[in-house]
Amino acid sequence: MTSVKIFSVSGIPIELDFSFLLLMLFIYILAYLGFLSVNLAVLITLVFVTVVIHELAHSYVALRFGVKIKSILLLPIGGVSRMEEIPRIPRQEFMISIAGPLTNILMALITAVPLLFGLKGAAASFAGDFLAVNLLLAIFNLIPAFPMDGGRILRAILAARLNYIRATRIASNLGKIIAVLMAVTGLFYNFFLILIGFFIYIGAEQEYQATLISSLLEGVRVADVMTENPVTLHPHMTVKEALDVMFREKHMGYPVTEAGELRGIVTFHDISDASRDLRVEDVMTGDVVTVRDDEEVTGALEKMNRLQLGRLPVMRDGKLTGIISRTDIVRTLNLMNKKTE
Ligand SMILES: [Zn+2]
């Protein structure tokens, strides 16, 4: 367990990551020992409260559009709304993304009222800090670059007119330009900007790749991509015999079958260091994760990523019909990407 749930707001659990709890503890210990002013400790707490309210706004609007929300997780670097994929409907993506920054602007405006009416003293400096934090958070998040909200808002506006992949490519490229400009500015003024630039650049590229993959693979089934009738090995073959097959066929992984039944899977990696007179059944992985041939390729890819596997045997009615590997998926993606360009 790495996070602690503190409470729920309209069914959305708020969780604190363990590293976040340590950070807060550290800050308050420093404040207690006098190395840090109590005001600063309170201000940092206030920043995180503001971040939670910002994320709640995203989640609340997403919930209204039927998106399932798992939780809002607070990390030392900020907050993350853990929700299923946002629908690719520009109007919905726009509303979900803008809800966060708009809430910050709204809170800044509300806080400005008592200040304008002459609030004084400690309460005023507290309100002033809260106003500034909200304004900064709104401005930072409106930068039109992934993974900030501004990047998503821009993509939604573009996607209302262009196809979704092109809209993402333009928004992602603009994000990269902004990232490079930030990093260059950072070289002269503030080292921290280089870090943010780097973070934005990676985020922009990841968002583009993820969108490309899920858009291209939409509706594509495992059966369309898999290698049919794969070469199989018998569990009683020796490692030497299996290596001979591997050198001849030049694949990295092979299903192990006996009388048509799938018994396991063995990779070159499993076998290359094994003693030559062991048998395949001694070195294979017996507990095999499989996919059905009518499953979506995105599901198979998600399984491979989660379990860190390079290939999965494909089954139909309990019989092996093929094998699907990352290489198969990448090849399909390249072909489909050429078609869209
Ligand atoms: Zn946001």
Side-chain angles (χ1 to χ4, degrees):
M1 176 154 132
T2 57
S3 63
V4 186
K5 182 184 149 185
I6 43 168
F7 55 83
S8 290
V9 182
S10 43
I12 305 164
I14 313 287
E15 290 175 8
L16 306 182
D17 191 77
F18 194 59
S19 57
F20 174 80
L21 288 172
L22 278 181
L23 175 78
M24 290 317 273
L25 190 69
F26 184 62
I27 286 169
Y28 277 95
I29 288 174
L30 284 185
Y32 180 74
L33 295 175
F35 292 113
L36 197 81
S37 79
V38 176
N39 280 347
L40 189 58
V42 171
L43 184 64
I44 293 170
T45 313
L46 212 58
V47 171
F48 283 109
V49 170
T50 313
V51 166
V52 170
I53 297 171
H54 172 106
E55 292 302 326
L56 267 174
H58 287 308
S59 294
Y60 185 70
V61 177
L63 209 58
R64 300 288 297 260
F65 289 129
V67 178
K68 287 196 186 67
I69 315 285
K70 207 173 143 248
S71 66
I72 290 170
L73 179 65
L74 260 186
L75 298 156
I77 52 154
V80 188
S81 297
R82 295 198 289 186
M83 53 175 93
E84 54 172 33
E85 216 183 325
I86 293 175
R88 288 205 198 117
I89 303 164
R91 199 182 69 88
Q92 294 190 4
E93 189 176 27
F94 180 83
M95 306 273 272
I96 294 170
S97 306
I98 210 161
L102 271 189
T103 306
N104 290 126
I105 292 171
L106 193 70
M107 287 198 293
L109 288 176
I110 293 171
T111 320
V113 175
L115 285 172
L116 287 174
F117 282 91
L119 187 70
K120 289 274 178 305
S125 89
F126 192 74
D129 287 345
F130 189 66
L131 193 152
V133 165
N134 273 289
L135 270 188
L136 279 175
L137 211 65
I139 291 167
F140 181 69
N141 275 292
L142 284 172
I143 296 173
F146 293 116
M148 257 78 75
D149 298 327
R152 287 171 204 292
I153 294 168
L154 175 67
R155 193 235 320 258
I157 294 170
L158 291 170
R161 291 156 189 82
L162 305 169
N163 102 17
Y164 198 76
I165 299 179
R166 268 199 73 194
T168 308
R169 187 165 15 187
I170 295 171
S172 157
N173 285 341
L174 181 68
K176 286 181 188 172
I177 294 170
I178 291 174
V180 171
L181 289 178
M182 268 188 176
V184 171
T185 315
L187 281 178
F188 298 103
Y189 297 102
N190 190 335
F191 184 74
F192 197 59
L193 272 179
I194 303 176
L195 214 67
I196 297 178
F198 181 73
F199 168 69
I200 292 176
Y201 194 96
I202 303 280
E205 180 58 23
Q206 273 177 353
E207 181 66 34
Y208 177 60
Q209 291 297 336
T211 306
L212 190 64
I213 290 174
S214 59
S215 304
L216 289 175
L217 291 180
E218 199 165 10
V220 179
R221 308 274 157 192
V222 168
D224 306 326
V225 173
M226 70 180 189
T227 304
E228 278 176 77
N229 305 316
V231 179
T232 60
L233 300 176
H234 192 277
H236 297 160
M237 276 174 128
T238 62
V239 164
K240 185 184 177 310
E241 287 167 331
L243 277 172
D244 288 343
V245 175
M246 288 187 182
F247 282 120
R248 194 172 66 232
E249 299 291 337
K250 298 182 181 64
H251 294 303
M252 291 304 284
Y254 299 81
V256 179
T257 58
E258 185 172 18
E261 294 293 319
L262 182 68
R263 291 274 316 275
I265 190 161
V266 71
T267 64
F268 180 72
H269 181 77
D270 298 331
I271 224 171
S272 55
D273 290 332
S275 154
R276 295 294 182 262
D277 40 61
L278 278 177
R279 307 222 167 248
V280 166
E281 62 187 347
D282 303 322
V283 290
M284 71 182 188
T285 307
D287 198 8
V288 203
V289 181
T290 61
V291 281
R292 289 192 328 272
D293 66 352
D294 60 348
E295 274 181 59
E296 290 221 14
V297 171
T298 43
L301 190 61
E302 190 270 325
K303 236 181 221 178
M304 282 189 224
N305 286 339
R306 185 158 40 86
L307 303 167
Q308 307 217 319
L309 295 169
R311 60 198 60 71
L312 299 170
V314 182
M315 311 293 282
R316 173 192 277 168
D317 306 326
K319 289 271 174 260
L320 180 78
T321 58
I323 189 161
I324 184 167
S325 66
R326 281 173 195 281
T327 327
D328 295 328
I329 298 174
V330 170
R331 195 188 317 120
T332 309
L333 277 171
N334 283 336
L335 283 171
M336 300 186 92
N337 196 18
K338 289 229 169 60
K339 257 196 278 176
T340 63
E341 270 173 2

